[in-house]
Amino acid sequence: MRRHIITTILALAAVGTMAMQPAQAASKSPGTMFAEECSACHMAFDPGFLPKRSWRAIMGNLSNHFGEDASLDDQTRNAIERYLLSNAADANGRNPYWLRRIPTSQTPLRITELPWFTNEHGARARAWAKSNPKIGSISNCQGCHRGAARGVFDDD
Amino acid sequence: MKLFPNLILSGTLLAVALGAPIQPAQADPARDAIIAQFKAQAGVSSFSAARGKKFFHAKHAGGKPETPSCTTCHTNDPRNFGKTRVGKVIDPMAVSRNPQRFTDPKKVAKWFRRNCKTVLGRECTAQEKGDILTYLSSI
């Protein structure tokens, strides 16, 4: 009898797990939306790479996202923008050294054009990344930094 | 001995429960609903896989010169993995290789909106979308 009960519970649990799946998908966190939507085309760059003004500009022009149409429905766009702003380089009163080197009148849009980035990746690195078909572009972090998507860049 | 029929019944329940998500590629009600909606919008009773195939492989004008065709990113065989312009891998478009395809109406709307603008410089018509989905569901 005990075995019967256990098997029945197992069977019911399996049915229950299936029934729960659509409900989980319906309530995605802004962080999940950010990860899913941005990484559909490229690695989801850490929000801490750019200040709030940059993310506002990028999220305000998604239909021309560096030449691509990356438009989103308003609800998703707004949620992702909130996530980016609350995790931006200058969120919560932060002001990192590299950001202080950029005049507040300037709104950088490309991480790859930030002064610290160009210092770390010179013309030769850019040319090499572009010519290597497995990398293709200097913006393909994971082409060289295997742990880039997890925020690990200390492998060079 | 008395337990036996119950065990078999429970086992069957388990098997059904675990086996349920695996369905034939063509029989997804969500995908059928999306195609039905395109039919209603286009005012037609059926779509053409042949027309969808032609559209998918055609070189279009009006969009970005770097992306003249669906095949620019999705390759000449939709059963293959594709590649975005920044090198990210795209799962196959063919339903036979990727049963998840065209089962989320929001996702379908988003990608048609984006990619038709990029490739054709305009939104696709309901007729075009229906033909493409019919083609990609057929291979």
Side-chain angles (χ1 to χ4, degrees):
Chain A
M1 193 59 188
R2 186 182 291 167
R3 277 184 74 186
H4 168 215
I5 290 168
I6 290 169
T7 347
T8 309
I9 288 171
L10 273 176
L12 287 174
V15 173
T17 311
M18 281 168 56
M20 271 165 63
Q21 279 166 358
Q24 287 171 344
S27 56
K28 282 179 190 162
S29 72
T32 304
M33 286 158 101
F34 153 77
E36 284 185 2
E37 294 295 344
C38 303
S39 71
C41 303
H42 55 70
M43 188 189 91
F45 300 110
D46 191 290
F49 277 128
L50 288 171
K52 287 184 273 191
R53 60 185 187 276
S54 299
W55 291 122
R56 273 197 205 95
I58 288 167
M59 295 304 286
N61 191 20
L62 281 180
S63 58
N64 182 10
H65 185 67
F66 305 101
E68 298 288 332
D69 185 333
S71 54
L72 290 164
D73 64 87
D74 284 349
Q75 198 189 349
T76 311
R77 193 211 76 89
N78 294 343
I80 292 175
E81 184 178 83
R82 278 198 301 276
Y83 177 81
L84 292 167
L85 295 183
S86 59
N87 292 282
D90 55 347
N92 305 316
R94 287 194 297 264
N95 192 12
Y97 77 96
W98 60 265
L99 188 55
R100 292 196 291 271
R101 293 172 61 191
I102 302 167
T104 49
S105 59
Q106 280 178 23
T107 303
L109 297 179
R110 291 177 187 272
I111 295 165
T112 54
E113 289 174 3
L114 295 172
W116 72 261
F117 188 97
T118 53
N119 286 346
E120 298 252 349
H121 310 80
R124 278 177 61 195
R126 278 172 188 262
W128 183 73
K130 200 170 184 181
S131 66
N132 186 329
K134 283 187 176 169
I135 303 169
S137 161
I138 197 72
S139 62
N140 180 10
C141 305
Q142 290 163 296
C144 301
H145 304 280
R146 290 289 178 84
R150 303 190 311 275
V152 179
F153 291 90
D154 287 339
D155 48 2
D156 52 349
Chain B
M1 271 316 259
K2 223 180 141 189
L3 288 178
F4 230 79
N6 284 329
L7 271 178
I8 291 168
L9 178 67
S10 305
T12 312
L13 252 178
L14 243 184
V16 168
L18 295 174
I22 304 157
Q23 291 175 342
Q26 312 302 326
D28 193 292
R31 187 181 311 114
D32 292 346
I34 292 170
I35 293 176
Q37 204 180 3
F38 288 145
K39 277 181 191 161
Q41 286 168 9
V44 298
S45 57
S46 67
F47 289 119
S48 157
R51 221 167 29 224
K53 182 178 183 178
K54 207 176 152 195
F55 187 93
F56 188 89
H57 293 271
K59 296 261 179 290
H60 300 276
K64 293 184 59 180
E66 299 92 334
T67 51
S69 172
C70 308
T71 61
T72 309
C73 295
H74 296 297
T75 82
N76 277 317
D77 186 344
R79 288 169 296 193
N80 290 342
F81 285 86
K83 219 178 198 187
T84 69
R85 293 189 56 228
V86 289
K88 183 117 188 167
V89 170
I90 307 170
D91 287 338
M93 299 308 292
V95 170
S96 62
R97 295 296 162 90
N98 187 358
Q100 299 296 312
R101 280 286 178 227
F102 321 124
T103 54
D104 177 351
K106 281 177 82 173
K107 199 172 173 182
V108 170
K110 179 179 74 182
W111 285 106
F112 267 131
R113 183 184 68 233
R114 289 174 170 180
N115 293 352
C116 290
K117 276 190 196 154
T118 302
V119 174
L120 296 104
R122 62 166 173 86
E123 300 241 0
C124 288
T125 65
Q127 172 88 56
E128 289 164 341
K129 293 179 200 172
D131 287 342
I132 293 168
L133 258 56
T134 304
Y135 164 54
L136 295 172
S137 304
S138 74
I139 51 161

